[in-house]
Amino acid sequence: MSPASPAAAGPTVAVPAPAAGLHASRLLPALGVLFIWAFLVLFLLYPVGRVFYDAVTDDAGRLTLAHIREFFTDGFYLRSLWNSLLLGVGVVACTSVLGVGIAFLLVRYDFRGRNLFSYLTLIPIISPPLVGVLGFVFILGRAGTVNVLLMDYFDLVKPVNFMYGLHGVLLVETLHLFPMITLNVVDALGKVDPALEEAAESVGARGLRKFWTITLPLTTPGYIAGALLVFIWTFADFVTPLVVGVHDLLASQAYLNIVQFVDRRLFRMGIVISALLVLLAIAFLAAARHYVAIKDYSSLAYSKVERRRLRGLPEALVVTGLSLILLLSFVPYLGVGLAAFGRGWSLTALPTSYTLQFFERVLVETPKYITNSLLYSVLAVLLCIAVGVPIAWILARTRVPGRGFLDALNTLILAIPGTAIGIAYIRAFHHEIPGLGLPLTSMWVILPLVLAIRRLPYTVRGSYASLLLVHRSLEEAAGSVGASRLRAFRDVTLPLIWKGVLVGGLFSFMTSLQEASAVLFLSLGGWETITVGIFNFYIAGSASEAAALGVVLIAVAAFCLVAINRIAGARMGGMFG
């Protein structure tokens, strides 16, 4: 009705003012959309496109498929590809068994300590794989606590190889990543219509058959989202394999070939591997989305299945099983904690004495790792909010051209491996910037930029989920009394969605602190992050200092996770979906 009001006021109404206001109200959103696309084109599409360009051209810029052919005719690289696929499938299978099983127990049954277990299940995710693998090595390595005890008390001649090989990577990744499956399946199980399961029971499908044919298929969208992230995370992680001595994986080869900077052939193969990682991630994402889109999983029912109370032996078995799984998941924390506070821990089951000197070294003598990480993560979150909230608003409230592509790009970022992004930035931003005389890769600002791109989807998804809960009529009511779209968003929408923005921002902050894959490629002397510090200290033989940094990282991540869990609760699963 508002457009009719000026006309009703007659010829005395000043026309230029509303026209200027109309132009301004359209200009600002247009500039905002332009800024979003410029950001995505410059810091996502261009670097990724540059990797593909380098993979199919020679040094003179001529198109060639020689590098691709060389990769697919080299037995070592083909074995690395096969090992990476095998490891990814293996981790998805193991995390699925643990994640789905735990989610089902938490959602469908009531037993002693259920609430405590639901919190503890989230704990493994706060430790990045780099810290997790160090903790496992301290406890299960050749000179770790378990092998020392076995050799001392069972007279073993040589240590048991718990860690060094693909099985060690499988163990670390499984115990670190299964919460991703649990969170997504918990979210999906909560939306299953109980009437469908009751109908299945009425025709004789009970127990495992009902779960396999009815319940599990209905959780497919949530499960696929979690499984895809687990697969890609495993596929792109090169730090864990390198620590346990596994080199014949694609991500490990990408890192080793790029950082050697001597042999141009190997450097080019690192780029080819990076392009292949992106292509495979896109293919897996497209296949997963196509599979989910084949069927309709939506439901009109909002009632929940009541939890069954477990007693006696079933309850004891469930509590014991969950305790064992979580106990194993906490092994890295025990190892990192002992290494950070202990001294003289060599060929002994436990440290011979305890000290705070390693924390003094990383907190007082070399605080740059922590201050840099906090600075980059805060800047990355601010960028995520500045770009991500408008993207969420465009997706939820508009029909502007390119909206579907924007949604696909946001999902694609989740799938692109950090290793590939790091290599892409090296190739895209190594040219001098006019006026500055320096390439972006020589400036610390590239780190918050790459972190912002990597974590943007979490802010978008957190904001988007909250926007869906705010009815359009509230904004339309504000518009009917003269508020512009921008003012309606600021005064009406934003106060209602701030929790979603905060959750997305906190998750982006926590995961930015943990980022290792991309920042290890872009790290600059004096501007290293915590994860780079952990890696450098460990490689240099200063494992206790690496562990002390790991404890700091875990403490900050735990604080963020508690805050996220209190604000988002069970909706946290939607962050990954």
Side-chain angles (χ1 to χ4, degrees), residues 99-109 185-186 189 197 211 215:
V100 174
I102 292 173
F104 190 74
L105 289 172
L106 292 176
V107 173
R108 293 300 173 85
Y109 294 97
V185 175
V186 161
L189 272 175
E197 295 187 337
F211 174 78
T215 310

Side-chain angles (χ1 to χ4, degrees), residues 477-502:
S480 69
V481 294
S484 65
R485 280 191 168 188
L486 191 61
R487 186 171 181 184
F489 178 80
R490 187 193 67 191
D491 294 345
V492 177
T493 311
L494 195 57
L496 295 172
I497 67 168
W498 70 269
K499 279 190 176 182
V501 177
L502 181 60

